[in-house]
Amino acid sequence: MQAIDNGIYDRVSDTWWDQDGFMALLRTSVNPPRMAYFRKVLLETLRRDPHGLRVLDVGCGGGLLSEPFAAMGCEVTGIDQSLPTLDAASRHAQASRLSIDYRLGDAGALPFADRSFDVVCCCDVLEHVDDPAAVIGEIARVLKPGGVFFFDTINRTLASKLVAIKLAQDCRLTRIVPKDVHVWEKFIRPAELARMLREHGLSDHAFAGLSPKGNPLTTLLALARNKLGRMSFAELGARITLGESRNLAISYMGFAQLT
């Protein structure tokens, strides 16, 4: 299997909140609809009061999820294995006047006691680790009974191989992320993830697609402008309109509760 380049997050740690750099795509394209879904589930579906909820963000990166949860009134802890990324996250949270406890740690061996958190989120992570089942086991361990697990990942389909690997990563004309950020064989099918969730007591779960909603021509024109240096990655991400859908063929998200 091709090796995945997780070291890239050390090298691009200062670009999480910049206008340019491919990490801006996560902030402006993926994170808004993803966080909107999580907020809807927490507030409307589960009817949880966010104030005072203890939230753990596993693989928190620059804090794209940690900050919105903190802004909702949650007590947030973020953990990541990239120290430069944690430094960037801490600086941005401080500038935003948000109190977030960022810590260095491994998703496969979380440094927290059993039943410590009301909510755990783990996004853009499961497709990067060698043993996603072990990560989910650790998440289930630190969740309180009835606690909520929010996640997203990428499906292992021919569609995801074309879009996420061939077009987004391998093809010079359409590439928007560096090579080896993703490896197709590490993508996770929904049935596989559902089995991992059940095995660790997260049997009450639901999936939703995260799919393009905008005009494909608008996206292509924006991509061309980005390639010509006339549009930042942040602007490009804003033009790639994504939203909740029933289509799990490429990217999907969801939630589960610990029984």
Side-chain angles (χ1 to χ4, degrees), residues 8 11 24 26 39 42 45 59 64 76-77 95 105 107 109 114 135 154 174-175 180 187-189 192 238 242:
I8 193 168
R11 302 193 296 274
L26 278 179
R39 185 180 287 108
L42 188 65
T45 304
L64 300 187
V76 181
T77 300
D114 297 357
V135 172
I154 306 176
T174 57
R175 180 185 302 150
D180 302 331
F187 292 170
I188 304 169
R189 291 175 176 150
E192 296 168 345
L242 300 178

Side-chain angles (χ1 to χ4, degrees), residues 25 28 176 219 222-223 226 231-240:
L25 293 171
T28 60
I176 54 176
T219 301
L223 178 60
N226 173 262
M231 178 180 287
S232 70
F233 276 96
E235 292 175 293
L236 173 62
R239 302 293 179 91
I240 304 174

Side-chain angles (χ1 to χ4, degrees), residues 116-181:
S116 296
F117 294 95
D118 302 290
V119 176
V120 177
C121 56
C122 184
C123 294
D124 306 312
V125 173
L126 295 175
E127 68 273 18
H128 290 271
V129 300
D130 292 330
D131 191 348
V135 172
I136 291 172
E138 278 291 277
I139 288 168
R141 179 183 66 78
V142 302
L143 268 176
K144 296 177 182 179
V148 184
F149 173 35
F150 289 121
F151 54 83
D152 79 354
T153 192
I154 306 176
N155 199 348
R156 193 172 69 256
T157 61
L158 290 178
S160 71
K161 192 167 193 175
L162 173 63
V163 174
I165 302 297
K166 297 301 182 183
L167 294 177
Q169 206 171 262
D170 292 350
C171 178
R172 182 177 58 84
L173 293 176
T174 57
R175 180 185 302 150
I176 54 176
V177 299
K179 292 177 70 65
D180 302 331
V181 167

